[in-house]
């Protein structure tokens, strides 16, 4: 009996250790995932580049975001704009992403005369901040960006394109600001507490030491306290099911069918509850899979409809001409006119940009980083077709 009791206590000790380790990993995954590290000169388009013979520029900007933290931003626009304001899409990355991830949007939207504003949200990339907050403070960052664009007087309508954490941020900001013309929402979660419980099940799946549901719910309260203490926000505030019934701007939802990081039912629930005009695209692949041409086509059509940019031959009416999806320049775009300008051309990839998805090396390796494999990969632009003109 004594031996059995000792074995029982040992089993409890192992179980408690496993739960503690799991929840510590989860806290790090939520508020301090691997941080994108990159060289703007190597991984960002520009500072001058050409798409379909039109020269565009990248204007790097520092803005004061939430809590006064400096945000590293880039605004992509035609070098010659004319006098009329142009619409703009603000691209919002995932929890371990950066403004590097906006390259798809840049290629797709600039030919439609829609400018693109990319940002390292607070706590991400090269911006200041120790933690990410999965939409809480990031929503204030977006407010600062929108105010900047409005104050400049060069932007007409504004849309938001968000992925994962960025999609949650887009929903939360659009709920506050009815002037937002439309949102593209790729893989948002519907409830952070629910997602965290699902991730625990994912972490411990197949493990000899499981986490009972009752114990997991009790431990969630400790995670909530830890996040409050370290990152100063309440995970219970991130329940989008309470937000979307009063959000009315047009929305395009998308989600990978095989996503096991944020399961598709999160987007499906939000889509069902969403109050405004809406559409839903189920995508083959998982959370980090390259998105198919159909998704990008739908995104460009959506933004052209809601933002009403000046007419060009590369908008929805030009589909089917010159490229795999009719929205980019033909292979072998005009080259060599200006030695200071890069050309952007297609390389036969079914997606608008050829790229390799890998995780950037984190600036600091967290003490508990075993859960990093579950976090979001960052699109590192390795062979993206931005060539120096010869």
């Amino acid at each position: 009996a004594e031996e059995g009791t000792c074995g029982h206590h040992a089993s409890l000790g192992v179980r408690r250790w496993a739960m503690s380790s799991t929840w510590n990993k989860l806290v790090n995954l939520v508020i301090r995932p691997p941080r994108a590290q990159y060289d703007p000169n190597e991984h960002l388009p520009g500072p001058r580049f050409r798409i379909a013979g039109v020269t565009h520029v990248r204007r790097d900007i520092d803005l004061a975001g939430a809590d006064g933290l400096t945000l590293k931003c880039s605004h992509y626009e035609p070098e010659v704009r004319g006098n009329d304001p142009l619409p703009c899409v603000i691209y919002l990355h995932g929890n371990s992403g950066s403004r590097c991830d906006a390259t798809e949007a840049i290629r797709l939207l600039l030919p439609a005369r829609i400018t693109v504003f990319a940002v390292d949200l607070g706590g991400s990339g090269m911006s200041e901040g120790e933690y990410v907050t999965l939409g809480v403070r990031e929503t204030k960052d977006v407010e600062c960006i929108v105010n900047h664009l409005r104050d400049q007087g060069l932007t007409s309508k504004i849309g938001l394109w968000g992925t994962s954490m960025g999609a949650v941020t887009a929903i939360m900001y659009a709920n506050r600001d009815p002037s937002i013309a439309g949102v593209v929402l790729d893989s948002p979660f519907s409830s952070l507490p629910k997602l965290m419980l699902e991730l625990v099940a994912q972490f411990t799946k197949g493990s000899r030491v499981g986490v009972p549901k009752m114990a997991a719910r009790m431990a969630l309260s400790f995670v909530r306290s830890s996040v409050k203490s370290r990152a100063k926000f309440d995970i219970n505030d991130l329940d989008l099911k309470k937000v979307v019934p009063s959000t009315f701007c047009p929305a395009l939802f998308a989600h990978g069918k095989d996503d096991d990081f944020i399961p598709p039912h999160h987007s499906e629930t939000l889509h069902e509850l969403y109050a405004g005009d809406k559409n839903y695209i189920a995508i083959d692949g998982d959370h980090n899979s390259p998105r198919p041409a159909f998704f990008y086509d739908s995104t460009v059509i959506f933004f052209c409809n809601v933002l009403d940019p000046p007419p060009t031959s590369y908008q929805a009416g030009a589909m089917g001409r010159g490229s795999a999806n009719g929205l980019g320049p033909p292979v072998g775009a005009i080259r060599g006119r200006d030695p200071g300008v890069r050309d952007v051309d297609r390389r036969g990839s079914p997606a608008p940009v050829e790229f390799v998805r890998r995780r950037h090396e984190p600036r600091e390796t967290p003490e508990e980083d075993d859960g990093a494999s579950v976090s979001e990969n960052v699109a590192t632009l390795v062979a993206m077709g931005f060539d120096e003109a010869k």
Side-chain angles (χ1 to χ4, degrees):
E2 183 178 351
E3 184 178 354
T5 302
C6 290
H8 174 69
H9 288 315
S11 176
L12 284 177
V14 170
R15 186 181 295 275
R16 287 168 181 165
W17 174 86
M19 289 176 61
S20 174
S21 176
T22 296
W23 287 101
N24 283 333
K25 292 175 187 177
L26 191 55
V27 170
N28 285 332
L29 177 62
V30 169
I31 62 175
R32 187 58 281 155
R35 188 166 189 154
Q37 189 175 25
Y38 63 93
D39 181 351
N41 294 324
E42 181 180 352
H43 295 112
L44 298 181
R48 297 177 73 220
F49 56 97
R50 186 162 45 237
I51 300 179
V54 177
T55 301
H56 296 80
V57 293
R58 184 190 84 230
R59 306 190 193 280
D60 294 333
I61 308 161
D62 287 356
L63 294 179
D67 299 332
L69 299 175
T70 298
L71 305 178
K72 295 294 184 178
C73 312
S74 298
H75 194 179
Y76 299 87
E77 57 187 353
E79 187 172 49
V80 179
R81 290 182 53 120
N83 296 323
D84 295 330
L86 294 176
C88 179
V89 167
I90 302 170
Y91 184 85
L92 305 171
H93 58 74
N95 76 327
S96 56
S98 72
R99 54 184 162 162
C100 293
D101 302 353
T103 307
E104 305 281 6
I106 294 162
R107 179 192 288 277
L108 289 167
L109 298 177
L110 287 182
R113 299 284 288 175
I114 298 171
T115 73
V116 176
F117 196 100
V119 57
D120 289 352
L121 294 163
S124 297
M126 300 177 70
S127 290
E128 292 182 341
E130 186 176 0
Y131 299 111
V132 300
T133 62
L134 295 182
V136 177
R137 282 198 293 272
E138 289 80 4
T139 302
K140 299 176 184 177
D141 291 342
V142 177
E143 181 180 6
C144 296
I145 295 168
V146 170
N147 289 340
H148 165 76
L149 294 173
R150 298 292 189 209
D151 291 344
Q152 278 194 316
L154 299 174
T155 299
S156 54
K157 296 180 180 180
I158 295 175
L160 306 177
W161 180 348
T163 299
S164 192
M165 176 185 79
V168 172
T169 302
I171 293 171
M172 294 176 68
Y173 184 77
N175 178 261
R176 298 183 182 186
D177 185 352
S179 74
I180 295 300
V183 290
V184 171
L185 308 168
D186 187 345
S187 311
F189 58 79
S190 61
S191 164
L192 183 55
K194 181 176 179 62
L195 176 62
M196 294 177 76
L197 289 172
E198 292 172 346
L199 287 174
V200 170
Q202 182 73 11
F203 285 155
T204 59
K205 187 177 181 180
S207 171
R208 293 176 60 188
V209 182
V211 179
K213 289 185 178 180
M214 181 63 70
R217 292 187 180 279
M218 291 175 62
L220 185 59
S221 65
F222 292 100
V223 172
R224 181 186 179 195
S225 298
S226 178
V227 170
K228 271 187 176 181
S229 174
R230 293 170 60 185
K232 312 302 181 188
F233 77 97
D234 188 345
I235 64 173
N236 287 350
D237 290 340
L238 287 166
D239 187 350
L240 280 296
K241 299 189 301 297
K242 299 177 180 178
V243 177
V244 292
S246 59
T247 307
F248 297 95
C249 72
L252 176 63
F253 289 83
H255 214 112
K257 297 176 185 177
D258 300 319
D259 192 337
D260 60 0
F261 182 71
I262 301 178
H265 71 79
H266 285 267
S267 278
E268 293 167 358
T269 296
L270 294 177
H271 174 259
E272 182 179 352
L273 297 173
Y274 195 83
D277 292 338
K278 58 193 176 183
N279 200 358
Y280 183 92
I281 300 174
I283 300 169
D284 290 332
D286 58 26
H287 198 69
N288 295 314
S289 297
R291 293 332 193 194
F294 173 72
F295 168 72
Y296 293 120
D297 291 349
S298 301
T299 297
V300 173
I301 293 171
F302 173 83
F303 278 130
C304 285
N305 284 336
V306 300
L307 297 178
D308 193 25
T312 74
S313 60
Y314 288 100
Q315 290 174 23
M319 291 195 107
R321 296 192 312 218
S323 70
N325 63 6
L327 298 170
V331 175
I334 301 172
R335 316 190 81 168
R337 291 184 176 178
D338 185 336
V341 181
R342 298 180 182 184
D343 277 306
V344 181
D345 60 276
R346 301 182 68 85
R347 299 290 185 85
S349 169
V353 176
E354 233 180 348
F355 61 88
V356 176
R357 283 183 175 266
R358 68 169 173 83
R359 193 191 326 283
H360 289 288
E361 292 299 322
R363 289 181 177 174
E364 298 179 354
T365 303
E367 293 181 3
E368 299 259 355
D369 197 30
D370 294 339
S373 61
V374 191
S375 65
E376 301 169 55
N377 292 337
V378 179
T380 304
L381 307 171
V382 177
M384 57 187 180
F386 287 74
D387 296 331
E388 297 288 351
K390 297 179 182 179

